Amino acid sequence: MASVETADTITKVQEAADCLGADCIPRYVETKQIPDLDVESILTQSKKDASGLQNVSSGWLNRLEDDVTTSLWDQSGKSWKHLLYELSKGSDQDNVVIAVGHPALHIAMMGHCLNLTKEWLGSFHLNAGSISVIDFPDGPSGTGVIRCINYTAHLGRWSIPITRSTQADEEY
């Protein structure tokens, strides 16, 4: 439900972009609810509480049972292929696809993008609500390039840890 609400908000902002000024051009956004992007049912198969694990630290996916991570990996592979298909349908060089879903799905899809195996799932961490960007400079048939992982500044002041400089002369 949260993913659908987030996608709706992104759509409204994109379609109202001319109101934002700064040479923003409104874009028509086609939204689709894709069943392959839903992994909640897979995560609930775990005998461990997956909802509590995701907020602790990197590597929480490694703490799930092997059959659960295998199901997640297989489902994310379908999702990855579906997103590449959606990208290939566009005639526009600047075709943009936004996938909104559970952090576990996005971690696994990044693994597919990088041609990794499911054993690498615990090497990544994404916060709920974070933004990651994958670019396809050679089109959807080329290799995806991860430009940004786990961007959270839009979530507000406390979304990322702030560290003060130890030098007294540096201002923030």
Side-chain angles (χ1 to χ4, degrees):
M1 186 61 130
S3 297
V4 172
E5 290 173 6
T6 301
D8 287 342
T9 301
I10 291 168
T11 300
K12 289 175 187 170
V13 169
Q14 287 297 311
E15 290 178 349
D18 58 338
C19 300
L20 300 174
D23 297 325
C24 290
I25 300 169
R27 293 179 181 236
Y28 169 72
V29 179
E30 177 185 357
T31 58
K32 297 178 182 180
Q33 195 164 353
I34 302 168
D36 287 346
L37 294 177
D38 184 16
V39 295
E40 292 291 334
S41 60
I42 294 171
L43 295 175
T44 57
Q45 294 172 9
S46 176
K47 293 173 182 60
K48 300 175 183 178
D49 181 12
S51 64
L53 287 174
Q54 65 181 307
N55 295 319
V56 259
S57 64
S58 298
W60 68 272
L61 288 170
N62 286 345
R63 296 185 206 119
L64 299 176
E65 298 87 349
D66 188 58
D67 60 326
V68 174
T69 55
T70 298
S71 295
L72 172 65
W73 185 253
D74 293 344
Q75 184 70 25
S76 67
K78 292 177 189 173
S79 300
W80 180 248
K81 288 178 184 170
H82 188 88
L83 291 178
L84 293 177
Y85 169 75
E86 289 295 324
L87 275 172
S88 69
K89 287 186 353 185
S91 60
D92 191 336
Q93 188 74 350
D94 294 326
N95 193 18
V96 175
V97 173
I98 299 172
V100 182
H102 195 281
L105 173 75
H106 290 279
I107 289 170
M109 285 197 306
M110 282 192 291
H112 286 285
C113 174
L114 297 170
N115 291 316
L116 300 174
T117 61
K118 72 176 179 135
E119 288 72 28
W120 287 87
L121 288 175
S123 301
F124 298 93
H125 177 81
L126 294 177
N127 294 87
S130 68
I131 297 172
S132 298
V133 177
I134 300 175
D135 188 17
F136 293 88
D138 300 323
S141 60
T143 303
V145 177
I146 298 177
R147 300 280 185 206
C148 172
I149 296 176
N150 204 33
Y151 179 80
T152 58
H154 65 287
L155 297 175
R157 178 177 167 184
W158 303 112
S159 61
I160 55 174
I162 305 297
T163 306
R164 293 249 179 236
S165 171
T166 56
Q167 297 178 0
D169 62 343
E170 194 169 334
E171 291 184 31
Y172 287 86

